[in-house]
Amino acid sequence: MVGDLFSEDGYFANAEAFWSAQDEAIAVRRDAYLAAKWPEVVVLERGARFPEWEFAKTSKKAGGRVYIEPTHTGEVRFHEGYLTQREASKVKPRKKDEAEVEGQTEDKAEARSSITKPLQNYLDLHRLAAVRLAVLARPADGLRLLIAHAVAASGNWTVRPDNRRAESEAIRDSLAASEAQQLFAAEAKQVRKLLAPAFQDLDREDEEHIAGQGHEDTLTVRVFQRLLKLKDTDVAQIATFVMAETLASGSAVTDCFGALAKVEARAHWTPDQTFFDLLRDRGAVNTMLAEVSGKKAADKLVSAKLKDQKVALATAAASAPHWCPGWMRFPAA
């Protein structure tokens, strides 16, 4: 601070220090609102205007959010109790006598998701890659899971492998470079070798998948006859591989097995550029930054641009080999 010895006024000589100090103060106010049970507090990017005409004023109990608007002039505006017009239209009004009935509360607006569709696709595919390896490592559990699918016919069972459809080339390339995906491909070669005699003269050697090869009785008989000649350990290896190959990405079954096997996604996955590129929610990025670098460092960037926060997160994550975002954990957080 710089000021006149004979005056109570002063000013910041370092603009960067001012913005960092202000962001820390904003973070304190944000935390206070959350402690006061406001459903959500949104800190806008510095300089972004709060378009009040697009929002409707509502109560905290009805799901109203607090929007904090930092300006380029250093002023910070606080907008308490707002929902978008669309969200507000879904909140049903209550009559006074109905609201007083014991056990009844006001309808709340649906919470916004910080996970976009492409990001969910990325998470589902990488989580599936990690769980499939866990199935391979636990053949007894994998066999039981296979039998459960046969009885209940849920998920991918008709039978067919998961198509693992990526919604962009970047996600496809990220998955191809995944260590878990490469290890699974190596296992596929071993299983294909065990079953090779059953597929002689059928011109199926170049097919990518093991499961869902066809529905012809003659092929089923040939595979069955081949399995009769294999040791129990080889049959168990094939069974668990087929179970892993037919797991559905993004399914509750994949999540369940991942939690059972205590899967550590970071054992075979590292946050890559595609992951950071897919992040779109500033609040989620700031929360992850707090996990890696600490709350104080995250608070200093609470109103910074999304791209600046993502750069800080990527840099911090590179030095934290054991950090795993909650979305990639089992169970997911």
Side-chain angles (χ1 to χ4, degrees):
M1 290 289 294
V2 177
D4 192 325
L5 291 174
F6 303 100
S7 173
E8 295 182 358
D9 296 330
Y11 61 91
F12 275 86
N14 186 316
E16 184 176 346
F18 170 78
W19 295 123
S20 293
Q22 187 186 74
D23 275 355
E24 287 182 304
I26 290 173
V28 170
R29 289 292 298 273
R30 175 200 62 192
D31 295 346
Y33 276 119
L34 292 173
K37 306 301 183 182
W38 281 93
E40 185 178 0
V41 180
V42 179
V43 181
L44 301 179
E45 184 178 310
R46 188 180 303 119
R49 297 294 301 275
F50 176 68
E52 190 169 341
W53 59 89
E54 295 179 3
F55 289 78
K57 186 73 173 173
T58 188
S59 67
K60 180 198 299 185
K61 290 183 179 180
R65 303 186 189 93
V66 175
Y67 288 85
I68 301 178
E69 179 187 1
T71 68
H72 286 307
T73 65
E75 179 186 5
V76 180
R77 303 186 182 103
F78 298 86
H79 307 273
E80 299 179 355
Y82 283 90
L83 289 175
T84 64
Q85 296 286 357
R86 182 177 180 182
E87 290 170 331
S89 66
K90 296 180 180 180
V91 179
K92 298 178 182 178
R94 290 278 185 112
K95 294 181 180 179
K96 185 176 180 180
D97 55 343
E98 291 178 342
E100 293 175 352
V101 176
E102 184 178 357
Q104 289 188 342
T105 58
E106 294 184 49
D107 293 332
K108 293 185 178 180
E110 295 181 2
R112 297 180 307 155
S113 173
S114 59
I115 302 178
T116 62
K117 186 177 179 181
L119 177 56
Q120 187 65 62
N121 176 236
Y122 176 97
L123 297 170
D124 288 345
L125 291 177
H126 277 289
R127 285 163 60 79
L128 174 65
V131 173
R132 293 198 304 185
L133 286 183
V135 173
L136 297 179
R138 301 167 70 97
D141 291 334
L143 185 59
R144 285 164 175 75
L145 189 58
L146 182 148
I147 294 171
H149 274 75
V151 172
S154 65
N156 287 325
W157 274 66
T158 32
V159 176
R160 66 178 184 273
D162 189 86
N163 60 23
R164 296 179 293 115
R165 183 179 65 85
E167 294 191 0
S168 71
E169 187 174 346
I171 295 176
R172 188 182 304 110
D173 292 343
S174 173
L175 187 66
S178 163
E179 183 182 14
Q181 184 66 20
Q182 293 171 0
L183 289 172
F184 194 84
E187 179 71 6
K189 291 183 180 179
Q190 295 296 322
V191 172
R192 205 171 277 116
K193 185 177 180 180
L194 288 171
L195 290 174
F199 296 98
Q200 288 180 350
D201 306 321
L202 293 179
D203 193 25
R204 295 175 179 265
E205 295 179 356
D206 295 331
E207 288 199 5
E208 180 183 357
H209 304 295
I210 303 299
Q213 293 282 0
H215 301 287
E216 304 163 359
D217 286 347
T218 53
L219 178 58
T220 304
V221 170
R222 290 180 68 168
V223 173
F224 178 65
Q225 290 175 338
R226 173 59 182 165
L227 291 172
L228 290 175
K229 297 177 182 178
L230 296 177
K231 298 177 182 179
D232 288 347
T233 53
D234 292 333
V235 172
Q237 180 183 4
I238 295 170
T240 53
F241 180 88
V242 170
M243 184 63 256
E245 192 177 42
T246 54
L247 272 176
S249 65
S251 69
V253 176
T254 298
D255 286 348
C256 176
F257 199 93
L260 170 69
K262 295 181 172 63
V263 171
E264 296 289 346
R266 281 306 303 270
H268 301 288
W269 171 80
T270 300
D272 55 13
Q273 190 57 48
T274 301
F275 171 76
F276 296 114
D277 288 345
L278 288 170
L279 297 176
R280 294 289 185 271
D281 187 87
R282 294 176 65 255
V285 173
N286 194 260
T287 298
M288 286 187 276
L289 185 59
E291 288 182 349
V292 184
S293 301
K295 187 175 183 300
K296 186 174 182 179
D299 287 348
K300 289 183 178 180
L301 293 172
V302 71
S303 70
K305 292 182 178 180
L306 174 62
K307 66 177 183 178
D308 294 334
Q309 293 201 46
K310 291 202 290 185
V311 168
L313 176 60
T315 301
S319 302
H322 300 296
W323 173 75
C324 183
W327 296 328
M328 284 291 291
R329 299 172 195 161
F330 293 91

